[in-house]
Amino acid sequence: MVEMAGIFSNQFRSGDIVGRFGGDEFLAFLPNTRGFERMEYVFQRLVKECDRNYEKDGVVINVSASFGIAVAPDHGVTYEELSQKADEMLLAVKRENKKGYRLYQQISADKEL
């Protein structure tokens, strides 16, 4: 967890807010960022940087990262709206392959994520 926090702090700007949300989840607020396209390279680098093996006492553990992304005001304006939508996308990434990122997209009721 400490090493992941270090990776995150190196990838974000000084004005961004990144913190541990609980367990193995982190939350990031990127103020003054215009559109997902400008943020996408950050998430591409994070996925790559976090995908690594750790060895301790002869046991190898693979660690990877999954990100769900919601952008204000397009996907909401309150913490609750944005975190709920980002969490939906996080769960979708974890179901697919457990590493990567997905930007929130409106999905009709008859489609699965």
Side-chain angles (χ1 to χ4, degrees):
M1 295 304 280
V2 171
E3 199 164 324
M4 289 294 118
I7 290 171
F8 290 172
S9 68
N10 288 330
Q11 297 298 322
F12 291 101
R13 303 167 299 179
S14 62
D16 295 339
I17 301 166
V18 181
R20 187 171 171 215
F21 186 63
D24 61 352
E25 293 186 7
F26 290 81
L27 193 61
F29 291 98
L30 311 177
N32 302 317
T33 303
R34 295 189 177 120
F36 176 69
E37 295 77 25
R38 293 182 183 231
M39 293 185 292
E40 189 168 21
Y41 77 93
V42 172
F43 292 101
Q44 289 171 344
R45 284 195 325 241
L46 282 169
V47 168
K48 184 178 177 181
E49 286 289 318
C50 293
D51 189 16
R52 55 181 65 198
N53 291 323
Y54 293 92
E55 183 177 348
K56 182 167 178 148
D57 301 326
V59 177
V60 177
I61 299 169
N62 178 263
V63 176
S64 62
S66 305
F67 300 94
I69 305 160
V71 178
D74 299 342
H75 308 134
V77 293
T78 67
Y79 166 80
E80 289 80 13
E81 292 171 323
L82 293 167
S83 64
Q84 183 264 329
K85 290 174 180 173
D87 194 49
E88 285 179 31
M89 296 300 97
L90 172 65
L91 294 174
V93 172
K94 285 184 173 185
R95 278 194 303 269
E96 290 171 4
N97 62 11
K98 296 203 182 241
K99 65 181 171 181
Y101 60 90
R102 180 182 277 186
L103 176 66
Y104 179 80
Q105 52 189 303
Q106 199 93 27
I107 298 176
S108 65
D110 60 346
K111 284 187 175 179
E112 288 188 47
L113 291 176

